[in-house]
Amino acid sequence: VQLVESGGGAVEPGRSLTLSCAISGYPYFSYGMGWFRQAPGKEREWVASIYRGGDGICYGDSAQGRFVISQDKPRSMLILQMNSLKSEDSGMYYCAARRTYAASCPRNSNDFTYWGQGTQVTVS
């Protein structure tokens, strides 16, 4: 299983950015996937998850109302649309995937087995 994030970059506050995660070798798209982020000197923070084949979506407090998580199953991609970006949104963003089916919102790092290398987002 390989996860590769892209779409990060430097943007001004208030702008939007779309992150993508290309997934290969992963046949369990309905099991649950998510986005996390980590700022320098801080712990990894859960951002959003999608599970139950897309029927379940949940967001962390910082993402609620501004970010949108989605899946592009034909292209085997996980998407994170980020709007109204703030300086505190800066950090390395990681996508993650589960190895087992999630019936409820997976929001902890140990809920996920597979991880990408991350893509940097800087808002300033």
Side-chain angles (χ1 to χ4, degrees):
V1 178
Q2 187 174 21
L3 286 72
V4 180
E5 302 93 338
S6 62
V11 296
E12 296 177 345
R15 296 286 193 176
S16 298
L17 204 58
T18 299
L19 304 183
S20 299
C21 175
I23 309 139
S24 59
Y26 182 68
Y28 314 118
F29 239 83
S30 62
Y31 281 10
M33 302 187 69
W35 287 96
F36 289 76
R37 69 186 184 188
Q38 188 167 19
K42 295 188 176 181
E43 292 186 354
R44 186 171 295 184
E45 176 190 8
W46 170 66
V47 176
S49 295
I50 186 166
Y51 59 106
R52 290 206 309 250
D55 290 338
I57 291 178
C58 46
Y59 297 96
D61 290 342
S62 62
Q64 186 72 47
R66 297 188 299 127
F67 294 4
V68 178
I69 186 172
S70 62
Q71 288 176 320
D72 184 344
K73 294 179 183 178
R75 296 174 61 200
S76 296
M77 297 189 74
L78 181 69
I79 310 295
L80 185 68
Q81 173 68 42
M82 304 187 296
N83 303 310
S84 302
L85 283 163
K86 306 174 183 179
S87 58
E88 51 263 43
D89 294 318
S90 297
M92 187 70 76
Y93 281 70
Y94 301 90
C95 67
R98 288 179 56 86
R99 193 173 59 181
T100 57
Y101 185 79
S104 60
C105 177
R107 62 185 71 201
N108 298 307
S109 293
N110 57 16
D111 289 334
F112 297 88
T113 302
Y114 308 105
W115 292 83
Q117 295 300 307
T119 185
Q120 179 69 39
V121 172
T122 302
V123 185
S124 66

